[in-house]
Amino acid sequence: MSKFLRLCVLLIILVPVTALAMVEPDTKKEYPDEMTLGSGDGAYTLVATGVGLREKTFLKVDVYVIASYVSSDAQLGENKARDLMDLNANKQIIMDLTRSFSAEKLKKALTEIIDKNFEDQSAFADDLATLVGYFTEEAREGDHLVFDYNVDTGLTTSLNGEVKGTIQNFELVRALWSVWFGDSCADKGVRKNLLKNIG
């Protein structure tokens, strides 16, 4: 086989692989465009809504890369951020930390934004305390944090592959998603990037 034909065959093989990757442009961190979770009759597909990079301070210090997923059959209206936050459907947030910081800073980063979005937290206050209570150790560069909401089982939080706990309270899910999709979100640029894959 000629070098030209071998190159063509290689390109044909590689194209489907690269087409299935969602890449954060600054860090080059890759995430799948979609994923299938569960098994058998309980299997379901999540599709990526987008990926973003959270930066802090005027020095643009990278804090984490974040990817958002939602059920493949989800229907979102004109206000996609609000609809994604309010949607009671399978969805997931993945965070890959790019720097280390204290557990207290992580808790504060979550609760301060939730405080801005929810004046009345009576529907999820206890569960929010449980959620932030999962984080007892310093957050380290390279940590892989997943918030996975399944309508049947609730919100499961995993850190580096270890399940920290599951909470069955959709109001807590709404509050948590407001950190990135609420009117008072952590970063409007990140929110915009997390919605780029939604038509």
Side-chain angles (χ1 to χ4, degrees):
M1 185 183 294
S2 70
K3 288 184 178 180
F4 176 75
L5 286 177
R6 283 200 297 270
L7 179 60
C8 289
V9 170
L10 181 61
L11 288 174
I12 291 172
I13 294 173
L14 288 179
V15 165
V17 176
T18 55
L20 294 176
M22 177 176 64
V23 182
E24 197 291 308
D26 292 327
T27 61
K28 309 303 179 187
K29 183 73 177 175
E30 293 188 3
Y31 299 89
D33 277 343
E34 65 178 50
M35 61 178 82
T36 299
L37 303 177
S39 60
D41 294 339
Y44 59 94
T45 300
L46 298 180
V47 295
T49 70
V51 61
L53 174 63
R54 173 72 168 127
E55 297 174 317
K56 202 77 181 288
T57 79
F58 69 95
L59 295 175
K60 299 293 185 181
V61 177
D62 294 353
V63 181
Y64 56 79
V65 183
I66 179 170
S68 164
Y69 292 83
V70 71
S71 175
S72 58
D73 58 1
Q75 299 293 319
L76 302 178
E78 185 175 342
N79 189 339
K80 294 179 174 59
R82 170 63 67 169
D83 290 348
L84 185 56
M85 184 184 92
D86 290 341
L87 185 67
N88 190 358
N90 298 333
K91 51 189 178 182
Q92 186 176 111
I93 291 288
I94 299 174
M95 296 170 61
D96 286 295
L97 306 190
T98 55
R99 65 185 294 258
S100 300
F101 46 89
S102 69
E104 290 307 313
K105 282 190 175 181
L106 175 59
K107 295 176 184 180
K108 187 177 180 181
L110 295 176
T111 57
E112 279 192 343
I113 301 299
I114 291 173
D115 288 345
K116 292 178 181 179
N117 285 301
F118 292 88
E119 183 176 347
D120 179 6
Q121 299 184 11
S122 58
F124 59 81
D126 291 344
D127 288 323
L128 178 59
T130 299
L131 177 68
V132 297
Y134 295 154
F135 307 108
T136 58
E137 299 180 3
E138 179 182 358
R140 299 185 181 278
E141 179 181 353
D143 278 355
H144 181 73
L145 179 60
V146 178
F147 297 110
D148 181 75
Y149 175 64
N150 181 293
V151 293
D152 295 321
T153 58
L155 175 70
T156 298
T157 301
S158 302
L159 178 61
N160 298 326
E162 176 188 355
V163 174
K164 308 299 287 186
T166 299
I167 300 171
Q168 293 183 319
N169 184 347
F170 179 65
E171 293 307 313
L172 174 66
V173 176
R174 289 184 64 244
L176 181 59
W177 256 248
S178 79
V179 174
W180 301 283
F181 298 101
D183 293 335
S184 296
C185 60
D187 187 306
K188 290 183 179 180
V190 171
R191 182 177 65 186
K192 181 179 179 181
N193 286 332
L194 287 177
L195 298 169
K196 274 190 173 180
N197 282 25
I198 301 176

